[in-house]
Amino acid sequence: MTTGSTPAPQIDPTAETGNTPQPVPASPHHPFAAQVSTWLCRFPKWRIVVYALASLTIGMTQGLGINLVASNLPGIQGSLGITATESYWLVAAYTATSVSGTILLYKIRTQFGMRRFGEYGLLFFAAVSLAQVFTHDFQTAVAVRAVMGFAMASLGPLAIFYMFEIFPPAKKLTAGLCLGLAGSQIAQPISRIISPHLLDLGHWYQLAFLESGLALICLAIIWILPLTHPPRVKVFERIDWLSYPLIGTAVACISVVLTLGRYYWWFEKAWLGEVLVLGIITLTLAFMVELKRKNPIIDLRWLMTPEMLMFTGSMLFVRMLLSEQTTGMVGFLTLVGLQNDQLVTLFWIVLAMTFAGLVFVSIIHRADRIVYIHLFAMVLIATGAWMDAHSTVDTRPEQFYISQGMIAFAGAIFLPTSLWLGFARALQFGQSQIISFILVFLTTQNIGAQVGSAFLGTIQILREKFHSSVLVEGISLQNPYVVERVAHYSQALKPVIGDSSQLNAQGLARLSLSATQQAGLLAYNDVFMVVFYMAWGCFAVLALHIVVPKITAKISASRQAGDAAAA
């Protein structure tokens, strides 16, 4: 076992049972792992490199679990013979189980130990990943993705803990936390970079092989590189078997509605409303059970404090803003006919700026600088969105290099500092609040991304209908410009169509298609402008958060000085 103290927050042994628990014997590491640890302690620089690479690999494996499929839905449609709308069930199934899985697996880690937690979780992940290779029907693929979402939950905390190992206690929740999130944050651009090559080798089965291989590599890391972890304590209660299914069902239902609502359209399918009602009912029942528990899984009273409400709201809001990159920019370029292989350079830039932001914030991170870091992030997001809002049909990835680099940098500096701030507030209320905080953080990241995609995607659809109606109203064969454009389209088809009436009909069809595309592009510009205004609104709130207390303090000081002079 490695030397040094454990950086990770621990759950108070009395937090779940109300009594002092009996200690659980620690499971010894494999002798080979002990030898590796001894050898690395002799070479501190190599130890830093090895543990940092281990953290990046584990975090990237977690991030690729969702992003590889989400980035390659068109290719997966062909492999499974499904429609574009049906393919989003693969994303919904994965996200529906990932958050609730983390709640349960965090308690498993606390009671049964880090090593077992990682080993069994990764074995499960690798087996399920490999099962995708033998999946040939849509229903089985959805079930497999749901199981993978649950299995993936063990990887996020492990990536952070491995990065913690190489930092002294004073730096664990600053530089260690920032770089511990690096693997999961760089996974999204990496998935876009490597996807074209994987699909060329063998459709979506190559994605499954990669996920399974990475899981086995992470399993080897767990066996070889030991972690310093908190004492194991018994934290499960019988009532958990009632609370957890209710929480898991609620999260899954809400996640499915948010992911699929805009594709099936919110008011068109009755089952969307039924699933949402089921989610609300189970969430209400979960709240009723948790509020009556002495030691709840989720401390709702603490989560309802003004500080935690502000933290939750800000994380959700910023995660929505960052959806501009996936829902907005990628959707725009897909509409003009570009695929992943044409976006590789763009995502290399996004990857580089994300990593640069993580390194930058790990260096300058300090408690009194956090609000200014957040202000800077909002300026970057607003500026990038404003630049994107001037896109045209001729816009290509090169025009997004600067704007998307700025947004990637902003996301990389905002997330770690916000997570540190939340940890600090959680620890003020005691270590027993850590599990509630982790739930909040994961929910804001997963649900926030889904809310952002649903919100911005819905705006894009509504604005596309508006722009389409305006453009169609202006199309009339009495307009000489329209006639000229139809003749231009028809001229290109003359070598293959001899009938003049069919030629004219094809020209009109191509004009209509062009108008539809233009309406979609204008709608995406509207989405970028919405992000622009939202970012500046967040900037204004943060600025007021700085200015108002200072003004209040000055007024109070002047009143006290006046009272003293009068006395």
Side-chain angles (χ1 to χ4, degrees):
M1 186 174 293
T2 56
T3 58
S5 59
T6 298
Q10 304 176 25
I11 295 181
D12 186 352
T14 63
E16 293 293 330
T17 62
N19 301 310
T20 303
Q22 296 298 322
V24 182
S27 55
H29 288 289
H30 190 275
F32 180 69
Q35 293 178 6
V36 171
S37 177
T38 303
W39 183 83
L40 288 175
C41 287
R42 297 175 183 172
F43 302 94
K45 293 183 179 179
W46 278 107
R47 184 175 182 274
I48 292 173
V49 172
V50 169
Y51 273 88
L53 288 176
S55 174
L56 288 173
T57 302
I58 293 172
M60 192 168 59
T61 301
Q62 179 202 26
L64 289 177
I66 179 61
N67 286 301
L68 274 177
V69 169
S71 302
N72 296 280
L73 290 179
I76 295 173
Q77 294 168 30
S79 298
L80 295 178
I82 57 178
T83 65
T85 301
E86 288 175 333
S87 68
Y88 286 97
W89 273 102
L90 299 173
V91 179
Y94 191 95
T95 56
T97 57
S98 61
V99 176
S100 55
T102 305
I103 307 169
L104 181 63
L105 290 174
Y106 189 87
K107 300 192 78 172
I108 291 174
R109 178 191 71 83
T110 305
Q111 182 158 327
F112 297 103
M114 177 71 73
R115 185 182 175 191
R116 289 182 181 178
F117 168 72
E119 288 175 356
Y120 290 125
L122 285 166
L123 278 173
F124 192 39
F125 185 87
V128 176
S129 299
L130 196 59
Q132 291 181 105
V133 178
F134 307 100
T135 301
H136 302 287
D137 63 280
F138 173 59
Q139 290 76 13
T140 306
V142 172
V144 169
R145 293 301 296 174
V147 175
M148 283 189 66
F150 183 86
M152 172 275 292
S154 64
L155 303 183
L158 284 171
I160 296 176
F161 294 150
Y162 268 104
M163 191 63 73
F164 279 168
E165 286 288 321
I166 64 177
F167 286 95
K171 293 288 186 181
K172 290 184 188 298
L173 290 182
T174 54
L177 191 59
C178 295
L179 297 178
L181 295 169
S184 58
Q185 285 196 277
I186 64 176
Q188 195 271 335
I190 286 178
S191 69
R192 296 279 179 176
I193 293 169
I194 66 177
S195 292
H197 308 290
L198 291 173
L199 293 177
D200 289 343
L201 291 174
H203 302 293
W204 88 302
Y205 301 116
Q206 295 299 321
L207 307 180
F209 276 125
L210 176 63
E211 289 177 335
S212 184
L214 286 172
L216 292 174
I217 291 173
C218 293
L219 183 60
I221 291 172
I222 299 298
W223 279 339
I224 295 173
L225 294 179
L227 274 176
T228 306
H229 54 77
R232 294 162 54 198
V233 295
K234 295 181 179 180
V235 293
F236 278 102
E237 291 182 341
R238 290 183 180 179
I239 195 66
D240 289 339
W241 297 104
L242 175 62
S243 293
Y244 178 76
L246 290 173
I247 295 171
T249 301
V251 172
C253 290
I254 294 172
S255 179
V256 166
V257 172
L258 290 174
T259 304
L260 299 174
R262 65 185 173 114
Y263 299 107
Y264 286 97
W265 200 243
W266 308 99
F267 307 110
E268 294 296 324
K269 298 293 183 179
W271 64 265
L272 282 172
E274 294 167 359
V275 171
L276 182 59
V277 169
L278 176 61
I280 293 173
I281 291 174
T282 52
L283 186 64
T284 303
L285 292 175
F287 282 2
M288 291 171 63
V289 172
E290 290 295 287
L291 284 171
K292 290 184 177 296
R293 292 183 62 177
K294 183 179 180 181
N295 303 300
I297 295 178
I298 310 168
D299 192 340
L300 294 174
R301 293 181 177 86
W302 174 67
L303 294 180
M304 292 298 136
T305 59
E307 285 189 341
M308 285 310 300
L309 287 175
M310 184 178 297
F311 172 80
T312 304
S314 63
M315 292 298 292
L316 278 171
F317 192 81
V318 173
R319 198 64 188 83
M320 290 173 59
L321 294 180
L322 295 177
S323 297
E324 191 264 12
Q325 195 161 74
T326 52
T327 303
M329 180 269 291
V330 173
F332 181 96
L333 294 176
T334 301
L335 187 60
V336 298
L338 301 182
Q339 301 298 325
N340 282 339
D341 56 344
Q342 297 166 294
L343 308 179
V344 170
T345 304
L346 172 60
F347 281 102
W348 270 116
I349 293 173
V350 171
L351 173 62
M353 294 304 294
T354 299
F355 201 78
L358 290 168
V359 174
F360 173 78
V361 77
S362 68
I363 295 172
I364 70 163
H365 186 196
R366 213 170 62 191
D368 57 344
R369 295 174 179 170
I370 288 180
V371 69
Y372 300 102
I373 292 173
H374 290 176
L375 285 173
F376 182 52
M378 291 301 104
V379 172
L380 290 177
I381 293 175
T383 305
W386 182 83
M387 294 171 65
D388 292 344
H390 295 80
S391 302
T392 68
V393 71
D394 297 321
T395 298
R396 290 298 178 265
E398 292 78 9
Q399 282 73 52
F400 286 103
Y401 287 171
I402 297 176
S403 61
Q404 292 303 310
M406 294 168 66
I407 292 175
F409 190 90
I413 66 175
F414 188 94
L415 180 60
T417 51
S418 297
L419 181 56
W420 177 89
L421 192 61
F423 259 121
R425 289 173 177 171
L427 290 173
Q428 288 177 359
F429 290 87
Q431 293 180 345
S432 60
Q433 304 297 352
I434 292 299
I435 193 169
S436 295
F437 169 73
I438 288 176
L439 175 63
V440 171
F441 175 72
L442 292 171
T443 301
T444 54
Q445 291 306 293
N446 289 276
I447 301 298
Q450 294 171 326
V451 170
S453 296
F455 175 67
L456 298 181
T458 300
I459 290 177
Q460 193 276 331
I461 293 173
L462 294 174
R463 294 301 295 175
E464 180 182 358
K465 301 301 181 185
F466 169 77
H467 289 298
S468 181
S469 64
V470 172
L471 292 174
V472 169
E473 287 178 1
I475 297 177
S476 172
L477 292 177
Q478 295 180 351
N479 188 328
Y481 293 105
V482 174
V483 174
E484 181 182 357
R485 181 54 62 93
V486 171
H488 173 74
Y489 287 137
S490 301
Q491 188 69 26
L493 298 174
K494 252 188 178 182
V496 293
I497 300 178
D499 186 86
S500 59
S501 60
Q502 290 186 5
L503 194 64
N504 190 56
Q506 288 294 325
L508 286 171
R510 293 190 65 179
L511 178 62
S512 176
L513 184 63
S514 178
T516 300
Q517 183 191 51
Q518 187 63 41
L521 299 181
L522 291 172
Y524 275 111
N525 282 343
D526 292 342
V527 168
F528 297 141
M529 286 304 298
V530 168
V531 174
F532 169 77
Y533 289 122
M534 289 172 65
W536 277 119
C538 187
F539 179 91
V541 172
L542 289 172
L544 288 174
H545 186 67
I546 298 173
V547 173
V548 170
K550 291 183 178 180
I551 294 176
T552 304
K554 287 183 178 180
I555 294 174
S556 177
S558 62
R559 285 179 178 174
Q560 290 178 1
D563 293 342

